mmCIF file with all atom_site columns, all heavy atoms in Angstrom:
data_model
loop_
_atom_site.group_PDB
_atom_site.id
_atom_site.type_symbol
_atom_site.label_atom_id
_atom_site.label_alt_id
_atom_site.label_comp_id
_atom_site.label_asym_id
_atom_site.label_entity_id
_atom_site.label_seq_id
_atom_site.pdbx_PDB_ins_code
_atom_site.Cartn_x
_atom_site.Cartn_y
_atom_site.Cartn_z
_atom_site.occupancy
_atom_site.B_iso_or_equiv
_atom_site.pdbx_formal_charge
_atom_site.auth_seq_id
_atom_site.auth_comp_id
_atom_site.auth_asym_id
_atom_site.auth_atom_id
_atom_site.pdbx_PDB_model_num
ATOM 1   N N   . ALA P 1 1  ? 6.868  -5.003 14.085  1.00 0.00 ? 1200 ALA P N   1
ATOM 2   C CA  . ALA P 1 1  ? 5.622  -4.261 13.897  1.00 0.00 ? 1200 ALA P CA  1
ATOM 3   C C   . ALA P 1 1  ? 5.893  -3.112 12.935  1.00 0.00 ? 1200 ALA P C   1
ATOM 4   O O   . ALA P 1 1  ? 6.756  -2.265 13.195  1.00 0.00 ? 1200 ALA P O   1
ATOM 5   C CB  . ALA P 1 1  ? 5.111  -3.730 15.234  1.00 0.00 ? 1200 ALA P CB  1
ATOM 6   N N   . TRP P 1 2  ? 5.157  -3.080 11.807  1.00 0.00 ? 1201 TRP P N   1
ATOM 7   C CA  . TRP P 1 2  ? 5.366  -2.092 10.748  1.00 0.00 ? 1201 TRP P CA  1
ATOM 8   C C   . TRP P 1 2  ? 4.372  -0.939 10.861  1.00 0.00 ? 1201 TRP P C   1
ATOM 9   O O   . TRP P 1 2  ? 3.219  -1.121 11.255  1.00 0.00 ? 1201 TRP P O   1
ATOM 10  C CB  . TRP P 1 2  ? 5.212  -2.741 9.374   1.00 0.00 ? 1201 TRP P CB  1
ATOM 11  C CG  . TRP P 1 2  ? 6.376  -3.580 8.972   1.00 0.00 ? 1201 TRP P CG  1
ATOM 12  C CD1 . TRP P 1 2  ? 6.563  -4.911 9.249   1.00 0.00 ? 1201 TRP P CD1 1
ATOM 13  C CD2 . TRP P 1 2  ? 7.506  -3.165 8.227   1.00 0.00 ? 1201 TRP P CD2 1
ATOM 14  N NE1 . TRP P 1 2  ? 7.752  -5.340 8.714   1.00 0.00 ? 1201 TRP P NE1 1
ATOM 15  C CE2 . TRP P 1 2  ? 8.349  -4.290 8.079   1.00 0.00 ? 1201 TRP P CE2 1
ATOM 16  C CE3 . TRP P 1 2  ? 7.897  -1.947 7.659   1.00 0.00 ? 1201 TRP P CE3 1
ATOM 17  C CZ2 . TRP P 1 2  ? 9.555  -4.225 7.398   1.00 0.00 ? 1201 TRP P CZ2 1
ATOM 18  C CZ3 . TRP P 1 2  ? 9.099  -1.878 6.974   1.00 0.00 ? 1201 TRP P CZ3 1
ATOM 19  C CH2 . TRP P 1 2  ? 9.922  -3.014 6.849   1.00 0.00 ? 1201 TRP P CH2 1
ATOM 20  N N   . SER P 1 3  ? 4.867  0.240  10.480  1.00 0.00 ? 1202 SER P N   1
ATOM 21  C CA  . SER P 1 3  ? 4.029  1.424  10.345  1.00 0.00 ? 1202 SER P CA  1
ATOM 22  C C   . SER P 1 3  ? 4.103  1.870  8.887   1.00 0.00 ? 1202 SER P C   1
ATOM 23  O O   . SER P 1 3  ? 5.198  2.082  8.358   1.00 0.00 ? 1202 SER P O   1
ATOM 24  C CB  . SER P 1 3  ? 4.524  2.546  11.271  1.00 0.00 ? 1202 SER P CB  1
ATOM 25  O OG  . SER P 1 3  ? 3.800  3.740  11.040  1.00 0.00 ? 1202 SER P OG  1
ATOM 26  N N   . ILE P 1 4  ? 2.943  1.996  8.226   1.00 0.00 ? 1203 ILE P N   1
ATOM 27  C CA  . ILE P 1 4  ? 2.896  2.286  6.795   1.00 0.00 ? 1203 ILE P CA  1
ATOM 28  C C   . ILE P 1 4  ? 2.248  3.644  6.554   1.00 0.00 ? 1203 ILE P C   1
ATOM 29  O O   . ILE P 1 4  ? 1.214  3.963  7.144   1.00 0.00 ? 1203 ILE P O   1
ATOM 30  C CB  . ILE P 1 4  ? 2.097  1.200  6.046   1.00 0.00 ? 1203 ILE P CB  1
ATOM 31  C CG1 . ILE P 1 4  ? 2.682  -0.181 6.323   1.00 0.00 ? 1203 ILE P CG1 1
ATOM 32  C CG2 . ILE P 1 4  ? 2.070  1.485  4.547   1.00 0.00 ? 1203 ILE P CG2 1
ATOM 33  C CD1 . ILE P 1 4  ? 1.832  -1.314 5.795   1.00 0.00 ? 1203 ILE P CD1 1
ATOM 34  N N   . ASP P 1 5  ? 2.868  4.449  5.706   1.00 0.00 ? 1204 ASP P N   1
ATOM 35  C CA  . ASP P 1 5  ? 2.284  5.717  5.290   1.00 0.00 ? 1204 ASP P CA  1
ATOM 36  C C   . ASP P 1 5  ? 1.229  5.408  4.228   1.00 0.00 ? 1204 ASP P C   1
ATOM 37  O O   . ASP P 1 5  ? 1.551  5.125  3.068   1.00 0.00 ? 1204 ASP P O   1
ATOM 38  C CB  . ASP P 1 5  ? 3.364  6.642  4.727   1.00 0.00 ? 1204 ASP P CB  1
ATOM 39  C CG  . ASP P 1 5  ? 2.837  8.050  4.463   1.00 0.00 ? 1204 ASP P CG  1
ATOM 40  O OD1 . ASP P 1 5  ? 1.740  8.172  3.880   1.00 0.00 ? 1204 ASP P OD1 1
ATOM 41  O OD2 . ASP P 1 5  ? 3.530  9.025  4.827   1.00 0.00 ? 1204 ASP P OD2 1
ATOM 42  N N   . GLU P 1 6  ? -0.026 5.453  4.602   1.00 0.00 ? 1205 GLU P N   1
ATOM 43  C CA  . GLU P 1 6  ? -1.099 5.044  3.707   1.00 0.00 ? 1205 GLU P CA  1
ATOM 44  C C   . GLU P 1 6  ? -1.231 5.960  2.495   1.00 0.00 ? 1205 GLU P C   1
ATOM 45  O O   . GLU P 1 6  ? -1.599 5.515  1.407   1.00 0.00 ? 1205 GLU P O   1
ATOM 46  C CB  . GLU P 1 6  ? -2.421 4.983  4.478   1.00 0.00 ? 1205 GLU P CB  1
ATOM 47  C CG  . GLU P 1 6  ? -2.420 3.925  5.582   1.00 0.00 ? 1205 GLU P CG  1
ATOM 48  C CD  . GLU P 1 6  ? -3.790 3.756  6.213   1.00 0.00 ? 1205 GLU P CD  1
ATOM 49  O OE1 . GLU P 1 6  ? -4.789 4.171  5.582   1.00 0.00 ? 1205 GLU P OE1 1
ATOM 50  O OE2 . GLU P 1 6  ? -3.866 3.204  7.323   1.00 0.00 ? 1205 GLU P OE2 1
ATOM 51  N N   . GLU P 1 7  ? -0.938 7.250  2.664   1.00 0.00 ? 1206 GLU P N   1
ATOM 52  C CA  . GLU P 1 7  ? -1.035 8.165  1.528   1.00 0.00 ? 1206 GLU P CA  1
ATOM 53  C C   . GLU P 1 7  ? -0.016 7.822  0.455   1.00 0.00 ? 1206 GLU P C   1
ATOM 54  O O   . GLU P 1 7  ? -0.329 7.800  -0.740  1.00 0.00 ? 1206 GLU P O   1
ATOM 55  C CB  . GLU P 1 7  ? -0.843 9.606  1.996   1.00 0.00 ? 1206 GLU P CB  1
ATOM 56  C CG  . GLU P 1 7  ? -1.987 10.135 2.853   1.00 0.00 ? 1206 GLU P CG  1
ATOM 57  C CD  . GLU P 1 7  ? -1.795 11.602 3.188   1.00 0.00 ? 1206 GLU P CD  1
ATOM 58  O OE1 . GLU P 1 7  ? -0.829 12.212 2.677   1.00 0.00 ? 1206 GLU P OE1 1
ATOM 59  O OE2 . GLU P 1 7  ? -2.615 12.133 3.960   1.00 0.00 ? 1206 GLU P OE2 1
ATOM 60  N N   . LYS P 1 8  ? 1.216  7.554  0.874   1.00 0.00 ? 1207 LYS P N   1
ATOM 61  C CA  . LYS P 1 8  ? 2.250  7.202  -0.105  1.00 0.00 ? 1207 LYS P CA  1
ATOM 62  C C   . LYS P 1 8  ? 1.965  5.844  -0.736  1.00 0.00 ? 1207 LYS P C   1
ATOM 63  O O   . LYS P 1 8  ? 2.257  5.608  -1.910  1.00 0.00 ? 1207 LYS P O   1
ATOM 64  C CB  . LYS P 1 8  ? 3.629  7.220  0.560   1.00 0.00 ? 1207 LYS P CB  1
ATOM 65  C CG  . LYS P 1 8  ? 4.119  8.624  0.877   1.00 0.00 ? 1207 LYS P CG  1
ATOM 66  C CD  . LYS P 1 8  ? 5.552  8.607  1.346   1.00 0.00 ? 1207 LYS P CD  1
ATOM 67  C CE  . LYS P 1 8  ? 6.070  10.037 1.529   1.00 0.00 ? 1207 LYS P CE  1
ATOM 68  N NZ  . LYS P 1 8  ? 6.153  10.747 0.223   1.00 0.00 ? 1207 LYS P NZ  1
ATOM 69  N N   . PHE P 1 9  ? 1.404  4.918  0.048   1.00 0.00 ? 1208 PHE P N   1
ATOM 70  C CA  . PHE P 1 9  ? 1.065  3.616  -0.513  1.00 0.00 ? 1208 PHE P CA  1
ATOM 71  C C   . PHE P 1 9  ? -0.019 3.756  -1.591  1.00 0.00 ? 1208 PHE P C   1
ATOM 72  O O   . PHE P 1 9  ? 0.029  3.086  -2.620  1.00 0.00 ? 1208 PHE P O   1
ATOM 73  C CB  . PHE P 1 9  ? 0.593  2.670  0.591   1.00 0.00 ? 1208 PHE P CB  1
ATOM 74  C CG  . PHE P 1 9  ? 0.318  1.280  0.099   1.00 0.00 ? 1208 PHE P CG  1
ATOM 75  C CD1 . PHE P 1 9  ? 1.348  0.366  -0.059  1.00 0.00 ? 1208 PHE P CD1 1
ATOM 76  C CD2 . PHE P 1 9  ? -0.973 0.878  -0.221  1.00 0.00 ? 1208 PHE P CD2 1
ATOM 77  C CE1 . PHE P 1 9  ? 1.099  -0.918 -0.527  1.00 0.00 ? 1208 PHE P CE1 1
ATOM 78  C CE2 . PHE P 1 9  ? -1.234 -0.393 -0.684  1.00 0.00 ? 1208 PHE P CE2 1
ATOM 79  C CZ  . PHE P 1 9  ? -0.191 -1.298 -0.834  1.00 0.00 ? 1208 PHE P CZ  1
ATOM 80  N N   . GLU P 1 10 ? -0.973 4.648  -1.367  1.00 0.00 ? 1209 GLU P N   1
ATOM 81  C CA  . GLU P 1 10 ? -2.032 4.853  -2.348  1.00 0.00 ? 1209 GLU P CA  1
ATOM 82  C C   . GLU P 1 10 ? -1.481 5.372  -3.669  1.00 0.00 ? 1209 GLU P C   1
ATOM 83  O O   . GLU P 1 10 ? -2.012 5.089  -4.737  1.00 0.00 ? 1209 GLU P O   1
ATOM 84  C CB  . GLU P 1 10 ? -3.071 5.833  -1.793  1.00 0.00 ? 1209 GLU P CB  1
ATOM 85  C CG  . GLU P 1 10 ? -3.987 5.244  -0.739  1.00 0.00 ? 1209 GLU P CG  1
ATOM 86  C CD  . GLU P 1 10 ? -4.847 4.122  -1.289  1.00 0.00 ? 1209 GLU P CD  1
ATOM 87  O OE1 . GLU P 1 10 ? -5.222 4.204  -2.478  1.00 0.00 ? 1209 GLU P OE1 1
ATOM 88  O OE2 . GLU P 1 10 ? -5.120 3.161  -0.555  1.00 0.00 ? 1209 GLU P OE2 1
ATOM 89  N N   . GLN P 1 11 ? -0.385 6.123  -3.592  1.00 0.00 ? 1210 GLN P N   1
ATOM 90  C CA  . GLN P 1 11 ? 0.198  6.692  -4.804  1.00 0.00 ? 1210 GLN P CA  1
ATOM 91  C C   . GLN P 1 11 ? 0.774  5.632  -5.737  1.00 0.00 ? 1210 GLN P C   1
ATOM 92  O O   . GLN P 1 11 ? 0.883  5.847  -6.936  1.00 0.00 ? 1210 GLN P O   1
ATOM 93  C CB  . GLN P 1 11 ? 1.293  7.700  -4.437  1.00 0.00 ? 1210 GLN P CB  1
ATOM 94  C CG  . GLN P 1 11 ? 0.783  8.925  -3.708  1.00 0.00 ? 1210 GLN P CG  1
ATOM 95  C CD  . GLN P 1 11 ? 1.913  9.820  -3.236  1.00 0.00 ? 1210 GLN P CD  1
ATOM 96  O OE1 . GLN P 1 11 ? 3.095  9.532  -3.476  1.00 0.00 ? 1210 GLN P OE1 1
ATOM 97  N NE2 . GLN P 1 11 ? 1.571  10.906 -2.576  1.00 0.00 ? 1210 GLN P NE2 1
ATOM 98  N N   . ILE P 1 12 ? 1.151  4.484  -5.195  1.00 0.00 ? 1211 ILE P N   1
ATOM 99  C CA  . ILE P 1 12 ? 1.775  3.454  -6.025  1.00 0.00 ? 1211 ILE P CA  1
ATOM 100 C C   . ILE P 1 12 ? 0.951  2.178  -6.114  1.00 0.00 ? 1211 ILE P C   1
ATOM 101 O O   . ILE P 1 12 ? 1.237  1.313  -6.937  1.00 0.00 ? 1211 ILE P O   1
ATOM 102 C CB  . ILE P 1 12 ? 3.186  3.102  -5.489  1.00 0.00 ? 1211 ILE P CB  1
ATOM 103 C CG1 . ILE P 1 12 ? 3.095  2.547  -4.066  1.00 0.00 ? 1211 ILE P CG1 1
ATOM 104 C CG2 . ILE P 1 12 ? 4.093  4.306  -5.533  1.00 0.00 ? 1211 ILE P CG2 1
ATOM 105 C CD1 . ILE P 1 12 ? 4.417  2.055  -3.527  1.00 0.00 ? 1211 ILE P CD1 1
ATOM 106 N N   . SER P 1 13 ? -0.089 2.032  -5.288  1.00 0.00 ? 1212 SER P N   1
ATOM 107 C CA  . SER P 1 13 ? -0.827 0.772  -5.244  1.00 0.00 ? 1212 SER P CA  1
ATOM 108 C C   . SER P 1 13 ? -1.558 0.486  -6.546  1.00 0.00 ? 1212 SER P C   1
ATOM 109 O O   . SER P 1 13 ? -1.821 -0.671 -6.871  1.00 0.00 ? 1212 SER P O   1
ATOM 110 C CB  . SER P 1 13 ? -1.818 0.774  -4.079  1.00 0.00 ? 1212 SER P CB  1
ATOM 111 O OG  . SER P 1 13 ? -2.777 1.805  -4.249  1.00 0.00 ? 1212 SER P OG  1
ATOM 112 N N   . GLY P 1 14 ? -1.917 1.520  -7.295  1.00 0.00 ? 1213 GLY P N   1
ATOM 113 C CA  . GLY P 1 14 ? -2.621 1.302  -8.552  1.00 0.00 ? 1213 GLY P CA  1
ATOM 114 C C   . GLY P 1 14 ? -1.756 1.519  -9.766  1.00 0.00 ? 1213 GLY P C   1
ATOM 115 O O   . GLY P 1 14 ? -2.255 1.845  -10.844 1.00 0.00 ? 1213 GLY P O   1
ATOM 116 N N   . ALA P 1 15 ? -0.456 1.305  -9.621  1.00 0.00 ? 1214 ALA P N   1
ATOM 117 C CA  . ALA P 1 15 ? 0.478  1.577  -10.718 1.00 0.00 ? 1214 ALA P CA  1
ATOM 118 C C   . ALA P 1 15 ? 0.216  0.688  -11.925 1.00 0.00 ? 1214 ALA P C   1
ATOM 119 O O   . ALA P 1 15 ? 0.380  1.102  -13.064 1.00 0.00 ? 1214 ALA P O   1
ATOM 120 C CB  . ALA P 1 15 ? 1.918  1.394  -10.230 1.00 0.00 ? 1214 ALA P CB  1
ATOM 121 N N   . VAL P 1 16 ? -0.232 -0.545 -11.699 1.00 0.00 ? 1215 VAL P N   1
ATOM 122 C CA  . VAL P 1 16 ? -0.511 -1.474 -12.785 1.00 0.00 ? 1215 VAL P CA  1
ATOM 123 C C   . VAL P 1 16 ? -2.026 -1.596 -12.930 1.00 0.00 ? 1215 VAL P C   1
ATOM 124 O O   . VAL P 1 16 ? -2.713 -2.001 -11.983 1.00 0.00 ? 1215 VAL P O   1
ATOM 125 C CB  . VAL P 1 16 ? 0.127  -2.856 -12.520 1.00 0.00 ? 1215 VAL P CB  1
ATOM 126 C CG1 . VAL P 1 16 ? -0.167 -3.800 -13.678 1.00 0.00 ? 1215 VAL P CG1 1
ATOM 127 C CG2 . VAL P 1 16 ? 1.622  -2.713 -12.305 1.00 0.00 ? 1215 VAL P CG2 1
ATOM 128 N N   . ASP P 1 17 ? -2.550 -1.259 -14.094 1.00 0.00 ? 1216 ASP P N   1
ATOM 129 C CA  . ASP P 1 17 ? -3.986 -1.298 -14.325 1.00 0.00 ? 1216 ASP P CA  1
ATOM 130 C C   . ASP P 1 17 ? -4.561 -2.681 -14.040 1.00 0.00 ? 1216 ASP P C   1
ATOM 131 O O   . ASP P 1 17 ? -4.047 -3.696 -14.509 1.00 0.00 ? 1216 ASP P O   1
ATOM 132 C CB  . ASP P 1 17 ? -4.302 -0.896 -15.768 1.00 0.00 ? 1216 ASP P CB  1
ATOM 133 C CG  . ASP P 1 17 ? -4.003 0.571  -16.041 1.00 0.00 ? 1216 ASP P CG  1
ATOM 134 O OD1 . ASP P 1 17 ? -3.950 1.332  -15.057 1.00 0.00 ? 1216 ASP P OD1 1
ATOM 135 O OD2 . ASP P 1 17 ? -3.810 0.928  -17.216 1.00 0.00 ? 1216 ASP P OD2 1
ATOM 136 N N   . GLY P 1 18 ? -5.623 -2.692 -13.261 1.00 0.00 ? 1217 GLY P N   1
ATOM 137 C CA  . GLY P 1 18 ? -6.301 -3.940 -12.975 1.00 0.00 ? 1217 GLY P CA  1
ATOM 138 C C   . GLY P 1 18 ? -5.637 -4.795 -11.918 1.00 0.00 ? 1217 GLY P C   1
ATOM 139 O O   . GLY P 1 18 ? -6.099 -5.896 -11.628 1.00 0.00 ? 1217 GLY P O   1
ATOM 140 N N   . GLN P 1 19 ? -4.530 -4.296 -11.320 1.00 0.00 ? 1218 GLN P N   1
ATOM 141 C CA  . GLN P 1 19 ? -3.805 -5.085 -10.313 1.00 0.00 ? 1218 GLN P CA  1
ATOM 142 C C   . GLN P 1 19 ? -3.535 -4.251 -9.069  1.00 0.00 ? 1218 GLN P C   1
ATOM 143 O O   . GLN P 1 19 ? -2.450 -4.278 -8.507  1.00 0.00 ? 1218 GLN P O   1
ATOM 144 C CB  . GLN P 1 19 ? -2.496 -5.620 -10.893 1.00 0.00 ? 1218 GLN P CB  1
ATOM 145 C CG  . GLN P 1 19 ? -2.692 -6.563 -12.060 1.00 0.00 ? 1218 GLN P CG  1
ATOM 146 C CD  . GLN P 1 19 ? -1.399 -7.167 -12.526 1.00 0.00 ? 1218 GLN P CD  1
ATOM 147 O OE1 . GLN P 1 19 ? -0.449 -7.307 -11.746 1.00 0.00 ? 1218 GLN P OE1 1
ATOM 148 N NE2 . GLN P 1 19 ? -1.331 -7.563 -13.790 1.00 0.00 ? 1218 GLN P NE2 1
ATOM 149 N N   . SER P 1 20 ? -4.509 -3.472 -8.670  1.00 0.00 ? 1219 SER P N   1
ATOM 150 C CA  . SER P 1 20 ? -4.356 -2.648 -7.483  1.00 0.00 ? 1219 SER P CA  1
ATOM 151 C C   . SER P 1 20 ? -4.138 -3.530 -6.254  1.00 0.00 ? 1219 SER P C   1
ATOM 152 O O   . SER P 1 20 ? -4.822 -4.537 -6.061  1.00 0.00 ? 1219 SER P O   1
ATOM 153 C CB  . SER P 1 20 ? -5.599 -1.777 -7.291  1.00 0.00 ? 1219 SER P CB  1
ATOM 154 O OG  . SER P 1 20 ? -5.458 -0.963 -6.137  1.00 0.00 ? 1219 SER P OG  1
ATOM 155 N N   . GLN P 1 21 ? -3.179 -3.138 -5.411  1.00 0.00 ? 1220 GLN P N   1
ATOM 156 C CA  . GLN P 1 21 ? -2.815 -3.939 -4.240  1.00 0.00 ? 1220 GLN P CA  1
ATOM 157 C C   . GLN P 1 21 ? -3.519 -3.415 -2.990  1.00 0.00 ? 1220 GLN P C   1
ATOM 158 O O   . GLN P 1 21 ? -3.750 -2.210 -2.843  1.00 0.00 ? 1220 GLN P O   1
ATOM 159 C CB  . GLN P 1 21 ? -1.301 -3.894 -4.029  1.00 0.00 ? 1220 GLN P CB  1
ATOM 160 C CG  . GLN P 1 21 ? -0.497 -4.427 -5.200  1.00 0.00 ? 1220 GLN P CG  1
ATOM 161 C CD  . GLN P 1 21 ? -0.651 -5.923 -5.359  1.00 0.00 ? 1220 GLN P CD  1
ATOM 162 O OE1 . GLN P 1 21 ? -0.920 -6.626 -4.388  1.00 0.00 ? 1220 GLN P OE1 1
ATOM 163 N NE2 . GLN P 1 21 ? -0.480 -6.405 -6.575  1.00 0.00 ? 1220 GLN P NE2 1
ATOM 164 N N   . GLU P 1 22 ? -3.848 -4.331 -2.094  1.00 0.00 ? 1221 GLU P N   1
ATOM 165 C CA  . GLU P 1 22 ? -4.417 -3.939 -0.820  1.00 0.00 ? 1221 GLU P CA  1
ATOM 166 C C   . GLU P 1 22 ? -3.301 -3.578 0.151   1.00 0.00 ? 1221 GLU P C   1
ATOM 167 O O   . GLU P 1 22 ? -2.159 -4.000 -0.004  1.00 0.00 ? 1221 GLU P O   1
ATOM 168 C CB  . GLU P 1 22 ? -5.247 -5.075 -0.233  1.00 0.00 ? 1221 GLU P CB  1
ATOM 169 C CG  . GLU P 1 22 ? -6.463 -5.451 -1.064  1.00 0.00 ? 1221 GLU P CG  1
ATOM 170 C CD  . GLU P 1 22 ? -7.268 -6.569 -0.429  1.00 0.00 ? 1221 GLU P CD  1
ATOM 171 O OE1 . GLU P 1 22 ? -6.820 -7.066 0.637   1.00 0.00 ? 1221 GLU P OE1 1
ATOM 172 O OE2 . GLU P 1 22 ? -8.303 -6.933 -0.986  1.00 0.00 ? 1221 GLU P OE2 1
ATOM 173 N N   . LEU P 1 23 ? -3.635 -2.800 1.150   1.00 0.00 ? 1222 LEU P N   1
ATOM 174 C CA  . LEU P 1 23 ? -2.655 -2.395 2.152   1.00 0.00 ? 1222 LEU P CA  1
ATOM 175 C C   . LEU P 1 23 ? -2.145 -3.621 2.902   1.00 0.00 ? 1222 LEU P C   1
ATOM 176 O O   . LEU P 1 23 ? -2.939 -4.408 3.423   1.00 0.00 ? 1222 LEU P O   1
ATOM 177 C CB  . LEU P 1 23 ? -3.291 -1.415 3.136   1.00 0.00 ? 1222 LEU P CB  1
ATOM 178 C CG  . LEU P 1 23 ? -2.334 -0.708 4.105   1.00 0.00 ? 1222 LEU P CG  1
ATOM 179 C CD1 . LEU P 1 23 ? -1.457 0.275  3.339   1.00 0.00 ? 1222 LEU P CD1 1
ATOM 180 C CD2 . LEU P 1 23 ? -3.119 0.022  5.194   1.00 0.00 ? 1222 LEU P CD2 1
ATOM 181 N N   . PRO P 1 24 ? -0.828 -3.835 2.952   1.00 0.00 ? 1223 PRO P N   1
ATOM 182 C CA  . PRO P 1 24 ? -0.289 -5.026 3.616   1.00 0.00 ? 1223 PRO P CA  1
ATOM 183 C C   . PRO P 1 24 ? -0.566 -5.016 5.114   1.00 0.00 ? 1223 PRO P C   1
ATOM 184 O O   . PRO P 1 24 ? -0.766 -3.966 5.719   1.00 0.00 ? 1223 PRO P O   1
ATOM 185 C CB  . PRO P 1 24 ? 1.222  -4.934 3.345   1.00 0.00 ? 1223 PRO P CB  1
ATOM 186 C CG  . PRO P 1 24 ? 1.349  -3.996 2.197   1.00 0.00 ? 1223 PRO P CG  1
ATOM 187 C CD  . PRO P 1 24 ? 0.219  -3.036 2.318   1.00 0.00 ? 1223 PRO P CD  1
ATOM 188 N N   . GLU P 1 25 ? -0.561 -6.204 5.704   1.00 0.00 ? 1224 GLU P N   1
ATOM 189 C CA  . GLU P 1 25 ? -0.641 -6.305 7.155   1.00 0.00 ? 1224 GLU P CA  1
ATOM 190 C C   . GLU P 1 25 ? 0.650  -5.792 7.771   1.00 0.00 ? 1224 GLU P C   1
ATOM 191 O O   . GLU P 1 25 ? 1.683  -5.664 7.101   1.00 0.00 ? 1224 GLU P O   1
ATOM 192 C CB  . GLU P 1 25 ? -0.912 -7.747 7.578   1.00 0.00 ? 1224 GLU P CB  1
ATOM 193 C CG  . GLU P 1 25 ? -2.260 -8.278 7.119   1.00 0.00 ? 1224 GLU P CG  1
ATOM 194 C CD  . GLU P 1 25 ? -3.423 -7.579 7.790   1.00 0.00 ? 1224 GLU P CD  1
ATOM 195 O OE1 . GLU P 1 25 ? -3.216 -7.013 8.883   1.00 0.00 ? 1224 GLU P OE1 1
ATOM 196 O OE2 . GLU P 1 25 ? -4.528 -7.601 7.224   1.00 0.00 ? 1224 GLU P OE2 1
ATOM 197 N N   . THR P 1 26 ? 0.639  -5.530 9.048   1.00 0.00 ? 1225 THR P N   1
ATOM 198 C CA  . THR P 1 26 ? 1.736  -4.779 9.666   1.00 0.00 ? 1225 THR P CA  1
ATOM 199 C C   . THR P 1 26 ? 2.502  -5.539 10.731  1.00 0.00 ? 1225 THR P C   1
ATOM 200 O O   . THR P 1 26 ? 3.234  -4.932 11.508  1.00 0.00 ? 1225 THR P O   1
ATOM 201 C CB  . THR P 1 26 ? 1.187  -3.480 10.280  1.00 0.00 ? 1225 THR P CB  1
ATOM 202 O OG1 . THR P 1 26 ? 0.156  -3.810 11.214  1.00 0.00 ? 1225 THR P OG1 1
ATOM 203 C CG2 . THR P 1 26 ? 0.645  -2.576 9.202   1.00 0.00 ? 1225 THR P CG2 1
ATOM 204 N N   . THR P 1 27 ? 2.350  -6.851 10.809  1.00 0.00 ? 1226 THR P N   1
ATOM 205 C CA  . THR P 1 27 ? 3.140  -7.614 11.777  1.00 0.00 ? 1226 THR P CA  1
ATOM 206 C C   . THR P 1 27 ? 3.779  -8.805 11.102  1.00 0.00 ? 1226 THR P C   1
ATOM 207 O O   . THR P 1 27 ? 3.263  -9.340 10.124  1.00 0.00 ? 1226 THR P O   1
ATOM 208 C CB  . THR P 1 27 ? 2.270  -8.121 12.944  1.00 0.00 ? 1226 THR P CB  1
ATOM 209 O OG1 . THR P 1 27 ? 1.230  -8.946 12.437  1.00 0.00 ? 1226 THR P OG1 1
ATOM 210 C CG2 . THR P 1 27 ? 1.684  -6.959 13.726  1.00 0.00 ? 1226 THR P CG2 1
#
């Protein structure tokens, strides 16, 4: 079972223009 820091994920999820990633599932 994973715990993700959503704020830090937001900082890198849009690093590539047009390829923003959704928050991964946690299990």
